Amino acid sequence: MPATPQRGRTVRRLTIGAAVLAAAGLTAAALPAGADTGHTARTGRTVDVQLLSFNDFHGNLEPPQGSSGTVEEAQPDGSKKTVPAGGAEYLAQSLRAARKGHPYSVTAAAGDLVGASPLLSGLFHDEPTIEAMNRLGLDVTSVGNHEFDEGRAELTRLQKGGCHPKDGCYEHGKKFRGARFPYLTANVTDEKTGKPLLKPYTVWQHKGVKIGFIGVTLEGTPDIVNADGIKGLKFHDEVETINKYAKVLNKQGVKSIVALIHEGGLPASTSYNYHCDSPGPGDGISGPITDIAKHVTSKVDALVTGHTHQAYSCTIPDPSGRPRTVTSAASYGKLYTDTTLTYDRRTRDIVRTSVKAPGAVNHVVDRTQPKAADMTSLIARWNKLAAPVASRPVGHISADIAGRGAAAPESPLGDVISDAQLEATKADGKGGAQLALMNPGGVRSDLAFTASGSEGDGVVTYGEAFTVQPFTNMMNVVDLTGAQLLTALQQQVSGPNEASPKILQVSRGLTYTLDMTKKGADRIVKDSVRLDGTALDPAKTYRVAMNEFLAGGGDGFPAFKDGKNKYVGPSDLDAFTAYLTAHSSAADPLTPPKADRITVVK
């Protein structure tokens, strides 16, 4: 179905080339659109360009359920308010409303538009999301790690179009046309040719204004995706890659540059409207993006980031010491960022200013506004195709079961999932598992008590279960010694996971103490680790169940790669749905677990 053209977008043009801007940097103090710069905004020397951006949409065409579909808003009195947000109908409406009055407007994203998607998009290999992005007027995006979930060939198909090689075309007479916006893969190259997988950069042009975009994903992508998804590809340093293409763009006469980086940071507050420069420039954010931002060439004027699913609009000094805007709009389409880039027509660069006004602001995609009609029809069309699979009941719950939105390291839904995996693999002949471990990043949502459709409150549908476990990883059961298992637990909070711990969800019977007052591996209190009340024996062999991603060492757990005598069981999704069916009914729904298997000392 042809994408609906957006008002004012027919005059925009994207040219693909080698890119990066030789320019100063955008600060949080950049002038808002229409501000008085001493020149006429549209006809004088400078012009205000509106940059709208978002990240980590993950195929959430419909508003996310439970806490996954809310943002936290700080109130003037110091309290915090929870605001429902997200959904393609509202994101499209928000972006279209924001563009009004801005003749120079470009929309960009920072990766993970697809992958780990709810069933409505995931069932169709994310074609619905690409179609939605075309319609809402996305101009450009970087690639994220989840764009590699189904491999390089599938990512290329999403860009160029064509029906799925196995599942074919989903609607009679309609061929998937692919993304009308470029996916940028500057730091992802073919191992044999050394060339970027897709375009490394693009140049947006409108009435003489040129802005270059360079897109990269995190260099550590191979550590967090299945090996098959990135076979034959090499991932390069983010800073070196951006700086390389900034020079290329500069030589082409493009002096204004934005880097789209699928890597992010952690702000000091979880409120989307937290002023993260309040303690001092850059003091309000930590994590990988801070070091990246400090070393990306000052030719780049702004950094649009993602991956951590956090909300922030900060300034971090560039290599010349000048503040530069670094933004992220949380995830799932719950926010969008509106950044003003003041473009100097004579220098072709972005103007730096000392005015103390925010140049980049995050806005809530609230659900009280009208819905975008074309998105409503798109969702209805794909829902009709998905309904026979998505609406099937698989279980019942008595209340919300927090997963993705849980505040503690151990989540009630994580307990349910790990228990389900243990039950699916514990029998003789089915793996003989004694315990199960689940990576927290694989728990993609909550289970909400309130019905998402006509199924009734408390009913869990297959579509909702799929949203929680969308990867369909196969279960593995392996032999690990007690010493190896302890090492794996220590890897949750040490090595690459020390700065941002990845606490595994554990099945019933496994208990231990996590002391966050200590550093690195010492955070795991060794003599506290017990299985069914018995202390872990370093010399004993245990049968441990986990998904194939973890078994391959994913998420920074190389200890699991040493597992022996592997047994391959059902998919994690099948284990999850079977458990829900076996342990719940309308008369006796599943109650949220207490999540008390890991004792946390703060």
Side-chain angles (χ1 to χ4, degrees), residues 493-510:
V493 289
S494 61
N497 292 331
E498 182 167 4
S500 183
K502 290 185 174 69
I503 306 304
L504 299 169
Q505 308 299 287
V506 299
S507 58
R508 184 181 294 107
L510 182 64

Side-chain angles (χ1 to χ4, degrees), residues 181-201:
F181 51 89
Y183 259 112
L184 304 182
T185 60
N187 70 327
V188 185
T189 61
D190 185 282
E191 286 184 345
K192 293 182 179 179
T193 67
K195 295 181 179 180
L197 175 62
L198 297 172
K199 300 294 184 180
Y201 63 86

Side-chain angles (χ1 to χ4, degrees), residues 392-474:
R392 176 169 60 88
V394 295
H396 298 78
I397 56 177
S398 63
D400 290 353
I401 304 182
R404 191 73 174 184
E410 178 188 355
S411 72
L413 189 52
D415 285 358
V416 173
I417 291 170
S418 54
D419 285 349
Q421 294 180 353
L422 176 59
E423 183 162 305
T425 57
K426 68 180 181 181
D428 291 339
K430 292 187 176 182
Q434 297 167 272
L435 68 144
L437 301 169
M438 174 64 195
N439 57 307
V443 184
R444 303 304 301 184
S445 184
D446 302 336
L447 281 182
F449 177 79
T450 302
S452 59
S454 60
E455 72 274 11
D457 290 348
V459 177
V460 179
T461 65
Y462 183 83
E464 290 166 343
F466 184 98
T467 298
V468 172
Q469 293 264 265
F471 298 110
T472 318
N473 279 312
M474 302 309 292

Side-chain angles (χ1 to χ4, degrees), residues 63-73 81-86 270 272 330-332 334-335 364 367 405 446:
Q65 282 198 303
S67 59
S68 295
T70 63
V71 293
E72 185 180 270
E73 183 179 75
K81 178 182 178 182
T82 299
V83 183
T270 54
Y272 81 87
S331 61
Y332 303 164
K334 295 181 291 187
L335 300 174
V364 178
R367 302 182 199 165
D446 302 336

Side-chain angles (χ1 to χ4, degrees), residues 331-543:
S331 61
Y332 303 164
K334 295 181 291 187
L335 300 174
Y336 72 91
T337 310
D338 190 335
T339 302
T340 300
L341 303 173
T342 301
Y343 183 91
D344 188 316
R345 291 183 181 276
R346 189 172 71 181
T347 65
R348 291 173 293 178
D349 207 345
I350 299 301
V351 177
R352 300 261 183 151
T353 174
S354 59
V355 177
K356 299 297 182 182
V361 179
N362 277 325
H363 298 278
V364 178
V365 176
D366 70 86
R367 302 182 199 165
T368 61
Q369 63 184 312
K371 298 178 180 180
D374 58 334
M375 290 297 165
T376 300
S377 63
L378 181 150
I379 290 170
R381 195 178 93 240
W382 287 103
N383 261 330
K384 184 177 181 180
L385 293 172
V389 176
S391 61
R392 176 169 60 88
V394 295
H396 298 78
I397 56 177
S398 63
D400 290 353
I401 304 182
R404 191 73 174 184
E410 178 188 355
S411 72
L413 189 52
D415 285 358
V416 173
I417 291 170
S418 54
D419 285 349
Q421 294 180 353
L422 176 59
E423 183 162 305
T425 57
K426 68 180 181 181
D428 291 339
K430 292 187 176 182
Q434 297 167 272
L435 68 144
L437 301 169
M438 174 64 195
N439 57 307
V443 184
R444 303 304 301 184
S445 184
D446 302 336
L447 281 182
F449 177 79
T450 302
S452 59
S454 60
E455 72 274 11
D457 290 348
V459 177
V460 179
T461 65
Y462 183 83
E464 290 166 343
F466 184 98
T467 298
V468 172
Q469 293 264 265
F471 298 110
T472 318
N473 279 312
M474 302 309 292
M475 291 304 304
N476 287 184
V477 184
V478 297
D479 284 348
L480 290 173
T481 66
Q484 290 171 321
L485 182 56
L486 177 60
T487 296
L489 294 178
Q490 291 172 331
Q491 287 171 350
Q492 300 176 108
V493 289
S494 61
N497 292 331
E498 182 167 4
S500 183
K502 290 185 174 69
I503 306 304
L504 299 169
Q505 308 299 287
V506 299
S507 58
R508 184 181 294 107
L510 182 64
T511 59
Y512 69 92
T513 297
L514 177 66
D515 189 346
M516 295 304 291
T517 66
K518 296 181 180 179
K519 300 290 185 180
D522 289 338
R523 290 170 170 171
I524 304 299
V525 180
K526 292 181 180 180
D527 59 6
S528 71
V529 184
R530 295 179 176 274
L531 181 61
D532 298 324
T534 301
L536 193 69
D537 185 345
K540 185 178 178 180
T541 296
Y542 298 86
R543 293 290 286 167

Side-chain angles (χ1 to χ4, degrees), residues 222-406:
D223 298 327
I224 55 176
V225 300
N226 278 321
D228 288 344
I230 47 90
K231 188 176 181 180
L233 297 175
K234 188 173 182 179
F235 292 76
H236 302 269
D237 181 83
E238 305 94 335
V239 172
E240 291 178 2
T241 302
I242 294 170
N243 292 351
K244 169 187 173 181
Y245 284 108
K247 291 179 181 179
V248 173
L249 283 172
N250 198 209
K251 289 180 180 179
Q252 294 181 357
V254 180
K255 304 294 184 181
S256 300
I257 298 175
V258 175
L260 307 176
I261 309 173
H262 191 71
E263 179 60 289
L266 301 170
S269 170
T270 54
S271 298
Y272 81 87
N273 56 340
Y274 163 65
H275 178 34
C276 78
D277 283 351
S278 54
D283 287 350
I285 185 172
S286 60
I289 199 61
T290 57
D291 188 59
I292 291 173
K294 290 175 182 177
H295 292 91
V296 165
T297 174
S298 55
K299 291 180 173 66
V300 173
D301 300 295
L303 278 60
V304 176
T305 73
H307 189 55
T308 58
H309 290 206
Q310 301 298 306
Y312 48 84
S313 175
C314 306
T315 61
I316 298 176
D318 68 15
S320 71
R322 292 184 295 174
R324 176 170 53 194
T325 297
V326 180
T327 65
S328 174
S331 61
Y332 303 164
K334 295 181 291 187
L335 300 174
Y336 72 91
T337 310
D338 190 335
T339 302
T340 300
L341 303 173
T342 301
Y343 183 91
D344 188 316
R345 291 183 181 276
R346 189 172 71 181
T347 65
R348 291 173 293 178
D349 207 345
I350 299 301
V351 177
R352 300 261 183 151
T353 174
S354 59
V355 177
K356 299 297 182 182
V361 179
N362 277 325
H363 298 278
V364 178
V365 176
D366 70 86
R367 302 182 199 165
T368 61
Q369 63 184 312
K371 298 178 180 180
D374 58 334
M375 290 297 165
T376 300
S377 63
L378 181 150
I379 290 170
R381 195 178 93 240
W382 287 103
N383 261 330
K384 184 177 181 180
L385 293 172
V389 176
S391 61
R392 176 169 60 88
V394 295
H396 298 78
I397 56 177
S398 63
D400 290 353
I401 304 182
R404 191 73 174 184

